[in-house]
């Protein structure tokens, strides 16, 4: 397997999260939850795992009447996603070339 293939990042929930965050800056927790169609607890678990690897940064702020949580990719996370996406593109290209 290609050394840029990231098994940690390839978990579908994590891949969906980083793909969503790749073109963005800070994103609201609720937006990410709704966009990847998951629960608060499942998203929290995946974000904690991604943060543990240094792929995302989580910011919690106290807003009037609520606590806001925002998340973004770190430079390391952005690069890991770029490399992993490139591997997936190469795999898909090879499959297309083989079926022609």
């Amino acid at each position: 397997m290609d050394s840029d293939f990231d098994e940690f990042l390839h978990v579908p929930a994590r891949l969906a999260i980083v793909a969503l965050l790749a073109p963005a800056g800070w994103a609201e927790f609720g937006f990410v939850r709704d966009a990847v169609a998951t629960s608060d607890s499942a998203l929290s678990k995946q974000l904690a795992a991604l943060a543990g690897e240094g792929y995302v940064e989580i910011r919690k702020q106290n807003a009037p009447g609520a606590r806001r949580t925002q998340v973004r990719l770190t430079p390391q996370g952005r690069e890991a996603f770029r490399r992993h996406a490139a591997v997936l593109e190469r795999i898909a290209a090879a499959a297309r070339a083989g079926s022609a």
Side-chain angles (χ1 to χ4, degrees), residues 68-100:
R68 293 178 39 176
T69 300
Q70 296 179 317
V71 61
R72 70 174 174 184
L73 284 181
T74 63
Q76 177 184 344
R78 198 168 298 281
E79 178 62 17
F81 176 67
R82 186 199 63 73
R83 286 191 326 268
H84 188 68
V87 169
L88 296 178
E89 289 170 2
R90 289 192 297 272
I91 291 168
R96 284 190 299 273
S99 65

Side-chain angles (χ1 to χ4, degrees), residues 33-93:
R33 178 199 59 222
D34 295 346
V36 299
T38 193
S39 67
D40 287 355
S41 61
L43 179 57
S44 291
K45 178 181 175 183
Q46 295 304 331
L47 289 176
L50 288 162
E53 290 293 313
Y55 288 179
V56 300
E57 180 180 353
I58 300 169
R59 175 170 70 186
K60 297 184 183 230
Q61 297 175 317
N62 289 323
R67 185 171 185 160
R68 293 178 39 176
T69 300
Q70 296 179 317
V71 61
R72 70 174 174 184
L73 284 181
T74 63
Q76 177 184 344
R78 198 168 298 281
E79 178 62 17
F81 176 67
R82 186 199 63 73
R83 286 191 326 268
H84 188 68
V87 169
L88 296 178
E89 289 170 2
R90 289 192 297 272
I91 291 168

